[in-house]
């Protein structure tokens, strides 16, 4: 699974002219699912993201987590995170999960956020969405479970 996590002062997602999800300070999470992704990876990614300490403390250091600042989350499905741009000028999306798996893990991600105490605002899987955000910092991180969960190499 891949996620682009942006610290925001506000963010929203609109579908067919209607705001579907809106948050104040917190994380805008663009979430992509690959064809071999699992529920274990989903849980790992939720725990990793919700535990990130990227909010400034009283000394201006990125030392506080989402819980400490009362932050919110907005999660938007984003299969294009698996776009392959190696050949030509038109990306291939063959490396993205099929819709059934993508939607299942997207829904599971939302449920795991709820279980962790965050009621996620969200988009709609497969919908044409307009996402607006006011990036804070800007602080933007790219997380990929294929890299994060990789066994450490021995020297």
């Amino acid at each position: 699974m891949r996620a682009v996590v942006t610290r925001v002062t506000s963010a929203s997602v609109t579908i067919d002219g209607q705001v579907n999800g809106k948050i104040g300070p917190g994380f805008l999470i663009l979430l992509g699912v690959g064809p071999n992704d699992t529920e274990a990876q989903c849980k790992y990614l939720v725990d990793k993201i919700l535990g990130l300490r990227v909010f400034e403390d009283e000394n201006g250091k990125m030392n506080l987590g989402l819980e400490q600042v009362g932050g919110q989350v907005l999660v938007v499905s984003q299969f294009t995170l698996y776009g392959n741009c190696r050949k030509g000028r038109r990306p291939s999306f063959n490396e993205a999960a099929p819709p059934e798996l993508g939607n299942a893990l997207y829904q599971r991600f939302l449920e795991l956020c709820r279980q962790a105490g965050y009621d996620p605002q969200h988009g709609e899987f497969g919908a044409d969405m307009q996402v607006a955000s006011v990036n804070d910092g800007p602080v933007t991180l790219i997380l990929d479970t294929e890299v994060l969960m990789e066994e450490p190499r021995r020297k």
Side-chain angles (χ1 to χ4, degrees), residues 3 6 22 42 80 110 130 137 140 142 149:
T6 303
K22 181 177 180 179
C42 187
T80 60
L110 296 174
Q130 290 70 51
T140 301
I142 301 170
M149 298 176 76

Side-chain angles (χ1 to χ4, degrees), residues 36-86:
N36 300 314
D37 289 339
T38 65
E39 186 167 336
Q41 289 170 306
C42 187
K43 180 169 180 9
Y44 178 89
L45 192 58
V46 167
D47 292 344
K48 179 64 92 173
I49 291 170
L50 297 181
L52 289 172
R53 298 184 334 175
V54 296
F55 296 90
E56 292 182 358
D57 63 16
E58 65 278 358
N59 298 315
K61 301 281 185 192
M62 285 198 298
N63 199 29
L64 300 178
L66 200 57
E67 182 178 16
Q68 293 159 309
V69 299
Q72 301 173 291
V73 295
L74 172 62
V75 184
V76 177
S77 63
Q78 189 78 45
F79 78 94
T80 60
L81 292 179
Y82 278 89
N84 182 333
C85 299
R86 285 177 273 223

